[in-house]
Amino acid sequence: MRSPLTTVRIARGVAAALVALCATAPAAVADHGGTALSGRPDNAKHYVDRNDLTSAANAAAVHGVAQLDRSDMDATFTGSGDVEVYDGYYGDIGWYGATNCQTPSTRAGVCDVYRVRFNLTTMDGLSLSKWRSLGCHEFGHTAGLGHRYYYDDSNDNSCMRIEIWPENYDTHDLNAINATV
């Protein structure tokens, strides 16, 4: 049987180890459960390049930037190098848009340059509202957000949902972005 003093020392040792572990862990990511995560942005500034976009894809990019600007992110079409946006007929392969980290940072889990792609094959002919929702969604990935589902978006108002087409970030999304940048 351990003495009370030994138990206190063990508890203090465990507590110290946990504090040390938390201090070395990477910052929290606004991942909404960890799916479709493209990494944290390297800073709060996004310089966005549009690469010969159709008018619908351009509208999606403009709306995505406007939604990011509601958060602590500063997204702009002036300058270049943080987000490259493309559209194309990528085929009917099960996605409307995709975001990935094109150039990872030297820091683990951080992205220097993102690539956003809008799939004209699956988006062609859809409403401007759905294009705006897609722009919001894909640019959310560039701010560190992952997908949300019915069980963690009870108001059905987050563009990070994959089952429905809201056009904007909700308060939860904005708070998650702000906590990341």
PDB file of all heavy atoms in Angstrom, residues 23-24 29 44 57 59 65 72 84 86 111 125 135 146 152-153 163 168 171 174:
ATOM      1  N   ALA A  23       1.841  21.503 -23.861  1.00  0.00           N
ATOM      2  CA  ALA A  23       2.660  22.630 -24.309  1.00  0.00           C
ATOM      3  C   ALA A  23       3.350  22.337 -25.632  1.00  0.00           C
ATOM      4  O   ALA A  23       3.628  23.235 -26.410  1.00  0.00           O
ATOM      5  CB  ALA A  23       3.688  22.984 -23.246  1.00  0.00           C
ATOM      6  N   THR A  24       3.663  21.064 -25.903  1.00  0.00           N
ATOM      7  CA  THR A  24       4.354  20.718 -27.136  1.00  0.00           C
ATOM      8  C   THR A  24       3.408  20.294 -28.255  1.00  0.00           C
ATOM      9  O   THR A  24       3.824  20.132 -29.382  1.00  0.00           O
ATOM     10  CB  THR A  24       5.364  19.566 -26.890  1.00  0.00           C
ATOM     11  OG1 THR A  24       4.647  18.435 -26.422  1.00  0.00           O
ATOM     12  CG2 THR A  24       6.427  19.985 -25.895  1.00  0.00           C
ATOM     13  N   VAL A  29      -6.883  22.691 -34.511  1.00  0.00           N
ATOM     14  CA  VAL A  29      -7.288  22.978 -35.882  1.00  0.00           C
ATOM     15  C   VAL A  29      -8.807  22.993 -35.940  1.00  0.00           C
ATOM     16  O   VAL A  29      -9.467  22.190 -35.303  1.00  0.00           O
ATOM     17  CB  VAL A  29      -6.727  21.914 -36.844  1.00  0.00           C
ATOM     18  CG1 VAL A  29      -7.201  22.156 -38.256  1.00  0.00           C
ATOM     19  CG2 VAL A  29      -5.209  21.916 -36.793  1.00  0.00           C
ATOM     20  N   ALA A  44      -2.836  34.528 -41.238  1.00  0.00           N
ATOM     21  CA  ALA A  44      -4.214  35.001 -41.397  1.00  0.00           C
ATOM     22  C   ALA A  44      -4.440  35.746 -42.708  1.00  0.00           C
ATOM     23  O   ALA A  44      -5.513  36.281 -42.935  1.00  0.00           O
ATOM     24  CB  ALA A  44      -4.586  35.901 -40.222  1.00  0.00           C
ATOM     25  N   ALA A  57     -17.646  30.031 -61.636  1.00  0.00           N
ATOM     26  CA  ALA A  57     -16.553  29.716 -60.706  1.00  0.00           C
ATOM     27  C   ALA A  57     -15.965  30.988 -60.122  1.00  0.00           C
ATOM     28  O   ALA A  57     -15.598  31.032 -58.938  1.00  0.00           O
ATOM     29  CB  ALA A  57     -15.480  28.901 -61.418  1.00  0.00           C
ATOM     30  N   ALA A  59     -17.659  33.736 -59.537  1.00  0.00           N
ATOM     31  CA  ALA A  59     -18.630  34.158 -58.514  1.00  0.00           C
ATOM     32  C   ALA A  59     -18.449  33.345 -57.236  1.00  0.00           C
ATOM     33  O   ALA A  59     -18.552  33.881 -56.121  1.00  0.00           O
ATOM     34  CB  ALA A  59     -20.056  34.018 -59.043  1.00  0.00           C
ATOM     35  N   VAL A  65     -14.126  34.317 -50.771  1.00  0.00           N
ATOM     36  CA  VAL A  65     -13.270  35.351 -50.184  1.00  0.00           C
ATOM     37  C   VAL A  65     -14.082  36.247 -49.250  1.00  0.00           C
ATOM     38  O   VAL A  65     -13.649  36.570 -48.143  1.00  0.00           O
ATOM     39  CB  VAL A  65     -12.564  36.165 -51.292  1.00  0.00           C
ATOM     40  CG1 VAL A  65     -11.989  37.463 -50.757  1.00  0.00           C
ATOM     41  CG2 VAL A  65     -11.484  35.322 -51.954  1.00  0.00           C
ATOM     42  N   ASP A  72     -11.429  36.417 -38.898  1.00  0.00           N
ATOM     43  CA  ASP A  72     -10.156  37.108 -38.704  1.00  0.00           C
ATOM     44  C   ASP A  72      -9.193  36.907 -39.869  1.00  0.00           C
ATOM     45  O   ASP A  72      -8.102  37.487 -39.878  1.00  0.00           O
ATOM     46  CB  ASP A  72      -9.478  36.631 -37.409  1.00  0.00           C
ATOM     47  CG  ASP A  72     -10.208  37.118 -36.160  1.00  0.00           C
ATOM     48  OD1 ASP A  72     -11.038  38.039 -36.269  1.00  0.00           O
ATOM     49  OD2 ASP A  72      -9.935  36.562 -35.068  1.00  0.00           O
ATOM     50  N   GLU A  84      -4.566  29.087 -54.970  1.00  0.00           N
ATOM     51  CA  GLU A  84      -4.691  29.021 -56.423  1.00  0.00           C
ATOM     52  C   GLU A  84      -6.046  28.383 -56.740  1.00  0.00           C
ATOM     53  O   GLU A  84      -6.332  27.287 -56.270  1.00  0.00           O
ATOM     54  CB  GLU A  84      -3.572  28.185 -57.035  1.00  0.00           C
ATOM     55  CG  GLU A  84      -2.182  28.756 -56.830  1.00  0.00           C
ATOM     56  CD  GLU A  84      -1.955  30.041 -57.615  1.00  0.00           C
ATOM     57  OE1 GLU A  84      -2.554  30.198 -58.701  1.00  0.00           O
ATOM     58  OE2 GLU A  84      -1.177  30.885 -57.137  1.00  0.00           O
ATOM     59  N   TYR A  86      -8.863  27.049 -59.554  1.00  0.00           N
ATOM     60  CA  TYR A  86      -9.030  26.538 -60.911  1.00  0.00           C
ATOM     61  C   TYR A  86     -10.445  26.003 -61.077  1.00  0.00           C
ATOM     62  O   TYR A  86     -11.114  25.649 -60.111  1.00  0.00           O
ATOM     63  CB  TYR A  86      -8.057  25.379 -61.181  1.00  0.00           C
ATOM     64  CG  TYR A  86      -6.614  25.728 -60.984  1.00  0.00           C
ATOM     65  CD1 TYR A  86      -5.998  25.519 -59.753  1.00  0.00           C
ATOM     66  CD2 TYR A  86      -5.860  26.247 -62.023  1.00  0.00           C
ATOM     67  CE1 TYR A  86      -4.657  25.833 -59.566  1.00  0.00           C
ATOM     68  CE2 TYR A  86      -4.519  26.564 -61.844  1.00  0.00           C
ATOM     69  CZ  TYR A  86      -3.927  26.353 -60.611  1.00  0.00           C
ATOM     70  OH  TYR A  86      -2.606  26.669 -60.428  1.00  0.00           O
ATOM     71  N   CYS A 111      -0.158  24.680 -44.129  1.00  0.00           N
ATOM     72  CA  CYS A 111      -0.082  24.765 -45.586  1.00  0.00           C
ATOM     73  C   CYS A 111       0.320  26.168 -46.026  1.00  0.00           C
ATOM     74  O   CYS A 111      -0.243  27.156 -45.552  1.00  0.00           O
ATOM     75  CB  CYS A 111      -1.439  24.394 -46.190  1.00  0.00           C
ATOM     76  SG  CYS A 111      -1.383  24.315 -47.992  1.00  0.00           S
ATOM     77  N   GLY A 125     -24.544  24.031 -64.884  1.00  0.00           N
ATOM     78  CA  GLY A 125     -25.992  24.166 -64.905  1.00  0.00           C
ATOM     79  C   GLY A 125     -26.638  24.342 -63.535  1.00  0.00           C
ATOM     80  O   GLY A 125     -27.847  24.550 -63.449  1.00  0.00           O
ATOM     81  N   GLY A 135     -18.222  27.816 -53.140  1.00  0.00           N
ATOM     82  CA  GLY A 135     -17.100  28.733 -52.892  1.00  0.00           C
ATOM     83  C   GLY A 135     -16.848  28.914 -51.408  1.00  0.00           C
ATOM     84  O   GLY A 135     -15.703  28.845 -50.941  1.00  0.00           O
ATOM     85  N   GLY A 146     -12.966  21.607 -41.634  1.00  0.00           N
ATOM     86  CA  GLY A 146     -13.335  20.336 -42.249  1.00  0.00           C
ATOM     87  C   GLY A 146     -14.838  20.292 -42.431  1.00  0.00           C
ATOM     88  O   GLY A 146     -15.542  21.281 -42.215  1.00  0.00           O
ATOM     89  N   ASP A 152     -23.765  17.867 -36.082  1.00  0.00           N
ATOM     90  CA  ASP A 152     -23.018  18.955 -35.456  1.00  0.00           C
ATOM     91  C   ASP A 152     -23.333  20.311 -36.089  1.00  0.00           C
ATOM     92  O   ASP A 152     -22.611  21.273 -35.908  1.00  0.00           O
ATOM     93  CB  ASP A 152     -21.521  18.670 -35.427  1.00  0.00           C
ATOM     94  CG  ASP A 152     -20.887  18.557 -36.802  1.00  0.00           C
ATOM     95  OD1 ASP A 152     -21.586  18.780 -37.812  1.00  0.00           O
ATOM     96  OD2 ASP A 152     -19.693  18.238 -36.867  1.00  0.00           O
ATOM     97  N   ASP A 153     -24.434  20.374 -36.826  1.00  0.00           N
ATOM     98  CA  ASP A 153     -24.927  21.639 -37.378  1.00  0.00           C
ATOM     99  C   ASP A 153     -26.451  21.615 -37.295  1.00  0.00           C
ATOM    100  O   ASP A 153     -27.149  21.522 -38.298  1.00  0.00           O
ATOM    101  CB  ASP A 153     -24.473  21.800 -38.838  1.00  0.00           C
ATOM    102  CG  ASP A 153     -24.981  23.101 -39.461  1.00  0.00           C
ATOM    103  OD1 ASP A 153     -25.161  24.097 -38.729  1.00  0.00           O
ATOM    104  OD2 ASP A 153     -25.211  23.112 -40.685  1.00  0.00           O
ATOM    105  N   GLU A 163     -24.252  17.750 -46.961  1.00  0.00           N
ATOM    106  CA  GLU A 163     -25.535  17.202 -47.415  1.00  0.00           C
ATOM    107  C   GLU A 163     -26.482  18.279 -47.951  1.00  0.00           C
ATOM    108  O   GLU A 163     -27.462  17.962 -48.592  1.00  0.00           O
ATOM    109  CB  GLU A 163     -26.273  16.482 -46.273  1.00  0.00           C
ATOM    110  CG  GLU A 163     -25.461  15.477 -45.510  1.00  0.00           C
ATOM    111  CD  GLU A 163     -24.907  16.050 -44.206  1.00  0.00           C
ATOM    112  OE1 GLU A 163     -24.843  17.281 -44.029  1.00  0.00           O
ATOM    113  OE2 GLU A 163     -24.510  15.246 -43.362  1.00  0.00           O
ATOM    114  N   ASN A 168     -23.252  30.405 -46.373  1.00  0.00           N
ATOM    115  CA  ASN A 168     -22.408  31.190 -45.470  1.00  0.00           C
ATOM    116  C   ASN A 168     -21.836  30.344 -44.343  1.00  0.00           C
ATOM    117  O   ASN A 168     -22.324  29.258 -44.052  1.00  0.00           O
ATOM    118  CB  ASN A 168     -23.229  32.326 -44.862  1.00  0.00           C
ATOM    119  CG  ASN A 168     -23.846  33.213 -45.916  1.00  0.00           C
ATOM    120  OD1 ASN A 168     -23.166  33.687 -46.819  1.00  0.00           O
ATOM    121  ND2 ASN A 168     -25.140  33.420 -45.835  1.00  0.00           N
ATOM    122  N   THR A 171     -21.830  30.950 -36.974  1.00  0.00           N
ATOM    123  CA  THR A 171     -21.007  31.447 -35.868  1.00  0.00           C
ATOM    124  C   THR A 171     -19.983  30.409 -35.434  1.00  0.00           C
ATOM    125  O   THR A 171     -18.831  30.738 -35.146  1.00  0.00           O
ATOM    126  CB  THR A 171     -21.904  31.848 -34.674  1.00  0.00           C
ATOM    127  OG1 THR A 171     -22.839  32.829 -35.135  1.00  0.00           O
ATOM    128  CG2 THR A 171     -21.092  32.419 -33.542  1.00  0.00           C
ATOM    129  N   LEU A 174     -17.086  30.543 -37.919  1.00  0.00           N
ATOM    130  CA  LEU A 174     -16.286  31.758 -37.738  1.00  0.00           C
ATOM    131  C   LEU A 174     -15.422  31.661 -36.476  1.00  0.00           C
ATOM    132  O   LEU A 174     -14.239  32.029 -36.495  1.00  0.00           O
ATOM    133  CB  LEU A 174     -17.181  32.988 -37.693  1.00  0.00           C
ATOM    134  CG  LEU A 174     -17.914  33.293 -39.003  1.00  0.00           C
ATOM    135  CD1 LEU A 174     -18.948  34.389 -38.796  1.00  0.00           C
ATOM    136  CD2 LEU A 174     -16.944  33.661 -40.106  1.00  0.00           C
TER     137      LEU A 174
END
